[in-house]
């Protein structure tokens, strides 16, 4: 053993110490200790923020992806001093079919009801129809607040500034059709208001996917260039299987997305609209939404007039001098769909049939959609 003094150093208090080879015996400077403390403190602070038990009344979560249920601590709107959900299901005069709101206290409020999707299932039509109700105000565009992290980070007070002003007793709504299939929206909505009411419109999933494809192809373009075709995008050339990763088909997996929402909200808070029936009988579906929201039935049947030119229902609006004017949805709604290859249709049908059955079980009812008469969600399997 080498006992040479070179292997030792003299320390004022401790006397002779072995010369340090590692950290154990090195003197750590005050600056380093301070730095370490600051680092630990910062780490603890960040951990608290991302904890599911962090009180989100004042701050919006930084967007860390949660897979566990956050504690229910709804955002308290400082101006309202009530949980946003509390003003829904109002007390007065529903029986007598008169508006439930009084013209008092006009200001911006957070939404108490969201139309969460699904994209290309008739969400635009529903918005236009619900605007006919005097107790409903709806943000005039999709705000993508819960599905875009950078928007969500701006906080609930920011979100409120995007809302139309409403009177006390009116229901404020927002529609973003991507919320339903976005995998963060459900917990973010829950963190704002666990009593939130939601409207989900679903449509026969293959027709929805074709509509989604058309939207992607024709968005802001006048050209009708459908290349690559729907079939080319939906089938993987390598193995001839369905390309489930195609973004145009993703929202159609209703069962999968619904499972996520039901982890956070009871089914009673999500009203499901039959999008195919919405095309055939908008009055029936709108009536059911009014009931769900606890509102008087003020959108009357005579508001819906079928337009032969459009091939869809349009709305009858008050015009000048007591006249009525027909108002249809824009050109991008109600597009003609291309014929889809029969083999591809069969594959898609086989894919969606069991998924829809599971979805129906989950929501406790089945829907009525048909695609070109060749596929029905009600088909006996
Ligand atoms: P298509 O264009 O494929 O027919 P969204 O508003 O969610 O994007 O949905 C668009 C779909 O709304 C349209 O899809 C159409 O089928 C449906 N729709 C329901 N009622 C309608 C109406 N009154 N006018 C036009 N489209 C309507």
């Amino acid at each position: 053993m080498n006992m040479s003094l070179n292997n030792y150093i003299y320390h004022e208090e401790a006397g002779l110490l072995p010369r340090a080879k590692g950290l154990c015996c090195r003197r750590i400077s005050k600056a380093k200790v301070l730095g370490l403390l600051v680092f630990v403190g910062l780490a603890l602070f960040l951990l608290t923020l991302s904890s599911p038990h962090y009180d989100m009344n004042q701050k919006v979560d930084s967007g860390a992806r949660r897979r566990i249920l956050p504690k229910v601590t709804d955002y308290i709107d400082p101006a309202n001093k009530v949980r946003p959900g509390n003003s829904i299901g109002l007390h007065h005069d529903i029986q007598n079919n008169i508006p439930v709101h009084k013209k008092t206290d006009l200001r911006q409020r957070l939404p108490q009801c969201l139309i969460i999707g699904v994209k290309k299932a008739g969400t635009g039509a529903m918005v236009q129809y619900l605007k006919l109700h005097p107790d409903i105000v709806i943000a005039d565009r999709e705000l993508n607040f819960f599905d875009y992290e950078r928007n969500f980070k701006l906080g609930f007070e920011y979100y409120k500034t995007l809302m139309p002003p409403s009177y006390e007793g009116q229901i404020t709504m927002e529609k973003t059709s991507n919320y339903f299939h976005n995998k963060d929206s459900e917990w973010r909505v829950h963190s704002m208001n666990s009593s939130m009411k939601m409207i989900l419109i679903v449509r026969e999933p293959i027709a929805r996917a074709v509509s989604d494809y058309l939207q992607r192809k024709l968005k802001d373009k006048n050209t009708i260039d459908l290349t690559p075709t729907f079939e080319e995008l939906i089938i993987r050339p390598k193995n001839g299987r369905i390309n489930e990763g195609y973004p145009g088909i993703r929202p159609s997996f209703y069962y999968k997305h619904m499972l996520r929402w039901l982890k956070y909200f009871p089914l009673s808070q999500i009203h499901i609209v039959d999008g195919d029936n919405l095309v055939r009988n908008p009055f029936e579906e709108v009536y059911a939404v009014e009931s769900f929201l606890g509102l008087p039935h003020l959108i009357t049947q005579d508001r819906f007039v079928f337009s032969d030119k459009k091939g869809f229902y349009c709305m009858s609006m008050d015009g000048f001098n007591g006249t009525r004017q027909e108002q249809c949805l824009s050109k991008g709604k109600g597009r003609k769909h291309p014929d889809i290859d029969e083999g591809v249709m069969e594959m898609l049908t086989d894919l969606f049939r069991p998924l829809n059955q599971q979805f129906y079980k989950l929501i406790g009812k089945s829907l009525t959609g048909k695609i070109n008469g060749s596929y029905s969600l009600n088909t006996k399997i």
Side-chain angles (χ1 to χ4, degrees), residues 118-125 129 203 211 278-279 310 312-313 329 332-335 337:
V118 57
K119 192 176 173 215
K120 304 316 294 173
T123 58
Y129 297 154
R203 172 185 186 184
S211 181
L278 181 69
V279 171
K310 175 85 178 163
F312 282 88
Y313 273 93
L329 263 63
K333 309 279 181 190
R335 291 182 174 120
H337 289 199

Side-chain angles (χ1 to χ4, degrees), residues 24-218:
C24 73
C25 302
R26 229 179 250 152
R27 291 192 73 186
I28 302 172
S29 73
K30 277 185 188 163
K32 275 186 186 160
V33 172
L34 206 67
L36 196 70
L37 284 175
V38 170
F39 175 76
V40 170
L42 204 69
L44 280 175
F45 175 69
L46 287 176
L47 264 177
T48 316
L49 275 190
S50 63
S51 151
H53 300 294
Y54 177 65
D55 180 6
M56 288 197 282
N57 284 346
Q58 294 307 321
K59 289 211 173 83
V60 172
D61 177 83
S62 64
R65 299 219 154 135
R66 288 142 194 260
R67 294 288 164 253
I68 32 177
L69 285 170
K71 195 174 146 215
V72 179
T73 48
D74 295 356
Y75 176 73
I76 309 284
D77 182 341
N80 249 346
K81 301 275 188 281
V82 290
R83 281 170 37 165
N86 285 0
S87 56
I88 231 174
L90 288 151
H91 16 282
H92 27 262
D93 263 334
I94 292 173
Q95 265 87 9
N96 296 326
N97 268 10
I98 38 178
V100 295
H101 76 272
K102 302 213 165 66
K103 293 207 167 178
T104 54
D105 199 13
L106 183 69
R107 60 192 159 86
Q108 289 171 298
R109 293 173 167 84
L110 282 169
Q112 304 104 322
C113 176
L114 297 173
I115 298 178
I116 56 175
V118 57
K119 192 176 173 215
K120 304 316 294 173
T123 58
M126 184 54 84
V127 165
Q128 294 309 320
Y129 297 154
L130 292 182
K131 276 184 179 172
L132 298 171
H133 200 292
D135 292 326
I136 295 176
V137 293
I138 309 188
D140 58 7
R141 63 183 174 87
E142 298 207 352
L143 298 174
N144 294 101
F145 178 72
F146 296 104
D147 57 333
Y148 268 73
E149 182 166 354
R150 67 166 182 269
N151 291 341
F152 186 66
K153 270 177 157 175
L154 297 173
F156 301 134
E157 283 306 302
Y158 159 79
Y159 185 40
K160 194 167 71 180
T161 65
L162 306 177
M163 294 300 151
S166 59
Y167 290 112
E168 191 182 0
Q170 280 184 316
I171 293 174
T172 302
M173 290 178 62
E174 194 251 324
K175 181 268 271 197
T176 292
S177 49
N178 283 346
Y179 288 159
F180 180 59
H181 63 277
N182 171 266
K183 64 182 182 317
D184 285 312
S185 293
E186 69 285 349
W187 69 258
R188 287 177 179 160
V189 171
H190 189 273
S191 74
M192 185 181 88
N193 180 6
S194 62
S195 321
M196 183 68 83
K197 292 208 169 192
M198 280 148 299
I199 295 171
L200 171 70
I201 304 156
V202 288
R203 172 185 186 184
E204 186 284 306
I206 307 173
R208 198 221 60 80
V210 174
S211 181
D212 205 327
Y213 158 79
L214 288 176
Q215 167 81 7
R216 286 161 193 279
K217 293 260 79 178
L218 305 176

